[in-house]
Amino acid sequence: MNRLARSPKSASGTTRKAALSLAATALALATLPTTILPAQAASDPLARYHHQRLDWKSCVLGPDDATGKELEQAGAQCADVTVPLDYSDPGGRTITVAISRIRATDTAHRVGPLLLNGGGPGGQTLGDPPWVRKAMKDVAARYDVVGVDPRFVGRSTPLDCHWPTGSAFRGAGVDRAGFDRMTAFSEGLAQRCRQHAGGVLPHVTTRNTARDLDVIRAALGERRISYLGYSYGSYLGEVYTTMFPGRTERVVLDGVITPDRYGPRLLRGVEKANRQALEGWASWAAARDATYGLGRTQRAVLAAVEHVRAAAARTPLRLGDHRVDEHLMPLVVFNGLSQHNDAAYGDFAQGIRDMRRAADGHPVTPSPWLADVLKFVLTGTDSPYGSVQTAILCGDAAAPRDPEVYWRDVQRASAQDALFGPVTNNLNPCAFWDRPREHPTTIRDDLPALLVNATGDPRTIYEGATAVRRMWPSSRLVTLRGADQHAVYGVYGSPCVDATVNAYLATGRLPARDVTCGARDR
């Protein structure tokens, strides 16, 4: 989960397009086309959704639609699938879920559709089929590769709480006064969502997204789907396979979330992995001191980061038109750690260099990566992304409502890690959200899935993958050892990982045993 989180495609360097914004009061109400239903569908309350006719058309929305043009060049078409807003009232209001599809070319050996989710929650996936097909190599010809913008994301009846930020997450600060500021900030974000999207918030959940996936399956005319989910998408896959047993073929979960750790406080416990990732980057930067000037040793580079943290806690850093304070500086660092490659490391090093110069009183124009992060967290450009991400987390499971619970956790975590502890344990708008209408899904005891995780993943930590592997003894785990990488298959560039996943997609047979790939096997 980068930016808690962008899709793997975005994390690997492609700019994530800002989601379309639309207030809940203006949510589009779709009209379901008239369909002649088979007689056996009469007893199915969702029959009109399951048997709807999809209108496949160009994915290009206009001359500036880069995602649509990329899809069109790859041979994709797009359609809107109509689903109920509230599955307990299927005859009521409807919304649309946007999908894209690149059809199988090897029809003689076709497996079926492969549905994608790139994570988030709140990440757009409509544009992902082209790069996923590239990762699949020859086996891609046997699948219809289907991108899905989940309900309220991107082109799928989007939701916007009109926030002044793209993220509800902040550091708690260094004292009680700072924590109290963040409490008021979080309560204000929750109030904005209630004001602008209150009518739909109860329906922004993973369980409803899973129900949408099954409507998509049926509307495609398929008995089963295969599924590839990254990060939060792994949890969505766990929920779908539990709610709709027997409706999946081949399931790949990359960046695995432990079901019992998922919820509004899912960042708790990732401090150690992020510290390890920071130290790995610091060693890389130290070896390139001539380029970045952050120090010749890992210790010196880490000291530069600490210098920036302490300076921001005293006085907000001036970076162009933005100010970075004790609440934002740790979040900037957190956002810089998820991709283990030279390009991402270099962007992050430039960002730290910019902040250090600001901490030393120099005028600074932020480098492109830092400017993008500051725009994300300090303006409303990506308000739809943060809005729906938070709505899903808050709608899936209840969070503690007493700020003192968080304050105690922040104090304990900060004593162990003053940089990451105040971010991962801080409260967020879920403390002020209405209670979820449904209980979290009790995930099934077993699933024959292929799990993928890097040992140093700073978002979905490796212990989560091993826990799910134990929970599902018939599954197999592909481990990328020695990389601080979030999202591996088709993203990191490991021939060992990619070949293992592709062999499973080609044959439907899991490896005989767990597979370990080295980070240097690239």
Side-chain angles (χ1 to χ4, degrees):
M1 290 160 283
N2 192 29
R3 287 191 172 178
L4 192 74
R6 289 184 291 185
S7 72
K9 180 181 180 183
S10 301
S12 64
T14 301
T15 303
R16 177 177 49 79
K17 301 301 178 185
L20 302 173
S21 61
L22 193 62
T25 53
L27 283 172
L29 301 184
T31 302
L32 201 63
T34 302
T35 305
I36 299 175
L37 304 180
Q40 64 268 28
S43 61
D44 178 6
L46 298 176
R48 66 188 188 119
Y49 301 99
H50 288 162
H51 298 278
Q52 64 185 289
R53 294 194 185 100
L54 301 184
D55 179 19
W56 293 100
K57 54 188 180 295
S58 170
C59 297
V60 181
L61 296 183
D64 298 325
D65 182 11
T67 297
K69 290 179 181 179
E70 185 178 353
L71 284 165
E72 186 166 74
Q73 290 170 2
Q77 288 187 305
C78 288
D80 291 326
V81 181
T82 302
V83 299
L85 170 67
D86 181 355
Y87 275 87
S88 68
D89 181 21
R93 291 176 61 183
T94 62
I95 58 175
T96 59
V97 174
I99 65 174
S100 62
R101 180 178 67 179
I102 303 176
R103 303 204 71 166
T105 55
D106 184 0
T107 54
H109 302 94
R110 181 179 178 273
V111 177
L114 175 69
L115 271 62
L116 311 177
N117 184 277
Q124 299 179 40
T125 307
L126 187 91
D128 287 354
W131 73 262
V132 171
R133 287 185 90 252
K134 183 177 179 180
M136 294 171 72
K137 298 185 177 177
D138 293 345
V139 74
R142 300 177 56 194
Y143 285 88
D144 295 343
V145 183
V146 180
V148 181
D149 275 356
R151 59 171 45 207
F152 306 115
V153 172
R155 299 186 187 185
S156 297
T157 312
L159 176 155
D160 186 4
C161 295
H162 300 284
W163 283 357
T165 179
S167 175
F169 293 86
R170 294 288 190 276
V174 297
D175 56 22
R176 182 62 194 235
F179 175 79
D180 289 342
R181 282 194 297 272
M182 289 302 95
T183 301
F185 173 76
S186 295
E187 186 171 15
L189 294 182
Q191 289 173 347
R192 283 179 181 245
C193 275
R194 215 169 270 118
Q195 174 186 352
H196 293 289
V200 300
L201 290 182
H203 312 294
V204 191
T205 68
T206 298
R207 287 178 62 84
N208 281 331
T209 300
R211 292 176 175 117
D212 293 345
L213 291 182
D214 204 57
V215 169
I216 293 169
R217 173 201 60 76
L220 291 173
E222 304 287 348
R223 292 183 59 196
R224 296 186 177 191
I225 60 170
S226 294
Y227 178 82
L228 169 61
Y230 292 87
S231 192
Y232 161 78
S234 73
Y235 179 70
L236 174 60
E238 294 162 1
V239 172
Y240 178 80
T241 56
T242 296
M243 293 179 66
F244 300 98
R247 296 186 187 173
T248 52
E249 280 283 351
R250 300 161 197 188
V251 176
V252 181
L253 307 181
D254 187 322
V256 186
I257 294 177
T258 314
D260 60 5
R261 290 191 59 170
Y262 172 79
R265 307 190 73 191
L266 82 171
L267 292 182
R268 293 179 72 203
V270 304
E271 302 86 8
K272 182 179 177 181
N274 277 272
R275 176 59 57 176
Q276 175 182 300
L278 181 65
E279 291 171 352
W281 163 82
S283 294
W284 181 94
R288 294 158 179 79
D289 181 59
T291 301
Y292 301 106
L294 295 174
R296 297 181 179 179
T297 65
Q298 182 197 73
R299 179 177 294 183
V301 174
L302 292 174
V305 175
E306 174 57 24
H307 170 66
V308 174
R309 187 195 69 81
R314 291 191 299 270
T315 305
L317 311 179
R318 299 171 64 92
L319 290 149
D321 295 331
H322 300 298
R323 302 294 179 269
V324 175
D325 61 12
E326 60 186 301
H327 306 293
L328 290 174
M329 185 274 173
L331 193 68
V332 171
V333 176
F334 189 83
N335 271 283
L337 301 171
S338 73
Q339 299 301 294
H340 190 154
N341 60 66
D342 288 347
Y345 275 10
D347 287 345
F348 184 44
Q350 290 178 17
I352 295 295
R353 182 182 61 186
D354 291 345
M355 290 195 292
R356 191 178 72 170
R357 293 188 70 244
D360 292 338
H362 301 291
V364 175
T365 299
S367 55
W369 174 83
L370 182 58
D372 182 54
V373 173
L374 296 179
K375 181 182 178 182
F376 177 73
V377 297
L378 288 172
T379 76
T381 301
D382 285 301
S383 168
Y385 177 84
S387 300
V388 71
Q389 177 178 92
T390 304
I392 293 169
L393 291 171
C394 302
D396 280 347
R401 305 185 76 81
D402 183 358
E404 297 305 317
V405 172
Y406 302 91
W407 173 239
R408 289 193 295 269
D409 288 345
V410 164
Q411 288 180 298
R412 284 194 294 267
S414 299
Q416 298 296 319
D417 193 313
L419 179 62
F420 295 116
V423 174
T424 57
N425 288 268
N426 197 19
L427 86 175
N428 60 56
C430 297
F432 306 98
W433 218 259
D434 292 342
R435 295 287 183 180
R437 290 195 176 182
E438 294 187 88
H439 293 296
T441 306
T442 301
I443 301 301
R444 58 184 290 179
D445 293 336
D446 191 24
L447 178 74
L450 189 62
L451 314 175
V452 182
N453 228 94
T455 54
D457 187 335
R459 295 293 180 271
T460 50
I461 59 176
Y462 185 63
E463 289 78 359
T466 58
V468 173
R469 171 67 177 87
R470 290 191 299 271
M471 185 174 74
W472 292 345
S474 63
S475 67
R476 295 293 181 268
L477 174 61
V478 183
T479 297
L480 177 65
R481 188 167 297 284
D484 301 326
Q485 171 72 26
H486 181 54
V488 179
Y489 171 67
V491 180
Y492 178 74
S494 167
C496 172
V497 172
D498 292 357
T500 303
V501 174
N502 286 339
Y504 168 61
L505 291 175
T507 66
R509 294 191 297 272
L510 290 165
R513 58 185 62 84
D514 292 342
V515 176
T516 299
C517 302
R520 297 183 184 276
D521 300 337
R522 299 181 65 172

